[in-house]
């Protein structure tokens, strides 16, 4: 359900200039959550529900692998955290030569 809310926000921004695909498949049959095609660029976004640091780190590795597959240097991860004592914000993570922009809402 959080994906639907994010797409409601996103659609008016890319309307007429770009497009997106949900759960796109790679050639090796892995599924990415969201790929946005905007102004000639391809942006991979991994969407997660916060379930702890270990789960988050697996998501970062998964996103890094997608970036490697598509020869991209930057990707995005959006985590939905429903905990009462959550830490929200945006941070930049470096995994090898890849840059991950992580947002927790």
């Amino acid at each position: 359900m959080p994906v639907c809310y994010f797409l409601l926000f996103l659609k008016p921004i890319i309307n007429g200039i770009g497009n997106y695909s949900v759960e796109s498949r790679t050639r090796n049959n892995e599924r990415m959550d969201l790929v946005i095609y905007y102004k000639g660029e391809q942006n991979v976004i991994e969407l997660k529900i916060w379930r702890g640091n270990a789960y988050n780190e697996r998501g970062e590795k998964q996103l890094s692998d997608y970036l490697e597959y598509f020869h991209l240097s930057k990707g995005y991860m959006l985590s939905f955290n429903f905990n009462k004592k959550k830490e929200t914000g945006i941070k930049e993570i470096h995994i090898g030569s890849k840059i991950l922009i992580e947002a927790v809402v």
Side-chain angles (χ1 to χ4, degrees), residues 17 29 44 57 72 85 87 95:
I17 299 173
N29 240 4
V44 177
E57 288 173 6
L72 299 171
K85 296 181 180 179
E87 289 184 36
I95 298 179

Side-chain angles (χ1 to χ4, degrees), residues 28-46:
N28 57 359
N29 240 4
E30 293 180 12
R31 256 196 271 164
M32 298 175 295
D33 289 340
L34 184 61
V35 180
I36 299 172
Y37 307 95
Y38 185 73
K39 292 188 176 183
E41 291 186 23
Q42 182 179 14
N43 299 282
V44 177
I45 301 176
E46 185 66 22

Side-chain angles (χ1 to χ4, degrees), residues 3 6-7 10-11 14 17-27 30-47 62-63 65-67 69-72 74-78:
V3 174
F6 180 63
L7 291 176
L10 183 66
K11 193 164 185 157
I14 64 173
I17 299 173
N19 201 356
Y20 65 88
S21 59
V22 178
E23 293 193 1
S24 301
R25 288 189 181 263
T26 63
R27 287 186 185 171
E30 293 180 12
R31 256 196 271 164
M32 298 175 295
D33 289 340
L34 184 61
V35 180
I36 299 172
Y37 307 95
Y38 185 73
K39 292 188 176 183
E41 291 186 23
Q42 182 179 14
N43 299 282
V44 177
I45 301 176
E46 185 66 22
L47 303 166
Q62 185 180 13
L63 177 56
D65 291 345
Y66 294 149
L67 296 176
Y69 181 84
F70 284 106
H71 308 290
L72 299 171
K74 185 189 265 186
Y76 304 88
M77 191 158 98
L78 177 59

